[in-house]
Amino acid sequence: MDNNGNMDTNRHHGKTAIVTGAGSGIGQATLLRLAEEGTLVTGCDISAESLDSTRVLLEKQKLTAELVVADVTEQEDVAHLVSSLEGPLDILANVAGIMDHFVPLGELQDALWDRVIDVNLNGVMRLTRAVLPLMEKAGKGAIVTVSSEAALGAGASGVSYAVSKNGVIGLVKHVAYFYGPKGIRSNCVIPGPVATGIGASASPESSWAMERASLKFATMQPTPAQPDEIATLISWLASDEASNVNGALVTADGGWAAA
Ligand SMILES: NC(=O)c1ccc[n+]([C@@H]2O[C@H](COP(=O)([O-])OP(=O)(O)OC[C@H]3O[C@@H](n4cnc5c(N)ncnc54)[C@H](O)[C@@H]3O)[C@@H](O)[C@H]2O)c1
């Protein structure tokens, strides 16, 4: 933003980016923001229908971006997404994710665990691994991964989501430490509640576990953020202004974690 509150449309001028989960919520807001800030951005999502809604918003705002249907859990899709880039990649925003219906460990079916870990953790690992060679070759790159308040305290989700969102923190720090000297920065955004489409996978399936979880929400009921309030942080962490920020876990939760 400049002093008049206008968006800096040159912040990422000429840079390239991949944003996952670009069909809805935080991923969609991130794609729109990066495009408006001058990035040549490729957005992917598992849902073609959701990407259609992103396309409509891009047209409305007179912005352009590549939109690709891809499942981050499929190695073939990930490889295709990265190989279809023309030239280097400056920014990766790992945003795609699903919730786990607040299912506690004792009621957990393997299928739910496998899917949540696959999307939220394995997907981030696969795509990050795939872009590293491009960033290493260029000697620069910024990766921003979305974790969750569920990584800081157990009451914000069931077990699968909490473990997956803790897992990505390890991945973020690994990349920051080992690849920092190669010019690659890796940071983590930790949102509290955000008004998005994730509710579909958040409907509670265990009444006692939800009752227990709701105690956490009762400690301080945070007003759900708008997706762009998270996108603006992702954009900043990906920008050259954040050149000395590497391996950071940054909350964007209206103060929830501080309670
Ligand atoms: N909404 C919240 O309150 C909240 C809080 C903390 C963290 N988060 C995290 O923010 C991220 C974005 O979620 P959101 O709230 O915008 O939800 P959302 O449901 O609005 O958007 C997520 C998008 O990811 C896509 N997606 C799901 N599985 C995919 C896959 N396998 N491959 C590619 N795309 C896939 C979905 O189709 C959807 O468009 C997630 O990682 C989520 O865990 C959300």
Side-chain angles (χ1 to χ4, degrees):
M1 293 281 174
D2 64 17
N3 291 340
N4 300 317
N6 297 316
M7 196 178 286
D8 177 1
T9 52
N10 269 322
R11 175 184 257 175
H12 296 299
H13 180 73
K15 287 190 182 170
T16 53
I18 290 177
V19 177
T20 70
S24 176
I26 299 167
Q28 184 181 70
T30 302
L31 175 120
L32 292 169
R33 176 168 276 273
L34 291 182
E36 196 165 358
E37 292 174 331
T39 321
L40 303 165
V41 54
T42 301
C44 84
D45 202 287
I46 196 171
S47 161
E49 205 183 334
S50 299
L51 286 179
D52 284 343
S53 71
T54 303
R55 194 168 288 112
V56 169
L57 291 172
L58 281 165
E59 279 166 16
K60 220 168 150 183
Q61 296 182 36
K62 298 189 171 41
L63 297 169
T64 53
E66 285 291 315
L67 298 177
V68 179
V69 177
D71 180 344
V72 295
T73 72
E74 293 293 335
Q75 181 55 36
E76 223 174 86
D77 285 11
V78 168
H80 179 256
L81 185 64
V82 175
S83 66
S84 66
L85 293 172
E86 290 166 18
L89 178 72
D90 299 293
I91 299 166
L92 168 63
N94 286 309
V95 187
I98 53 172
M99 259 289 270
D100 64 355
H101 300 286
F102 287 88
V103 174
L105 184 56
E107 292 161 31
L108 180 65
Q109 303 289 320
D110 284 2
L112 177 65
W113 171 269
D114 290 347
R115 187 62 189 163
V116 173
I117 297 292
D118 219 14
V119 177
N120 294 0
L121 180 56
N122 295 340
V124 174
M125 179 278 290
R126 289 201 186 93
L127 195 47
T128 305
R129 179 177 64 185
V131 305
L132 280 179
L134 292 178
M135 292 185 172
E136 280 189 81
K137 195 171 164 206
K140 62 186 171 76
I143 301 168
V144 184
T145 298
V146 177
S147 177
S148 164
E149 197 89 9
L152 305 182
S157 73
V159 64
S160 316
Y161 188 82
V163 170
S164 69
K165 292 299 183 179
N166 271 286
V168 293
I169 290 176
L171 188 79
V172 164
K173 289 184 179 175
H174 169 85
V175 173
Y177 182 71
F178 283 93
Y179 295 86
K182 297 169 188 273
I184 300 169
R185 294 185 301 106
S186 164
N187 290 294
C188 191
V189 170
I190 303 188
V194 188
T196 69
I198 204 161
S201 54
S203 54
E205 288 186 357
S206 166
S207 52
W208 75 264
M210 192 59 220
E211 209 172 295
R212 180 83 185 139
S214 60
L215 294 176
K216 157 131 182 144
F217 289 89
T219 53
M220 182 197 120
Q221 186 61 52
T223 307
Q226 292 304 310
D228 194 53
E229 295 182 86
I230 312 301
T232 184
L233 176 59
I234 294 173
S235 168
W236 181 77
L237 284 169
S239 77
D240 296 340
E241 292 160 55
S243 58
N244 198 36
V245 184
N246 191 23
L249 314 180
V250 187
T251 52
D253 65 353
W256 199 22

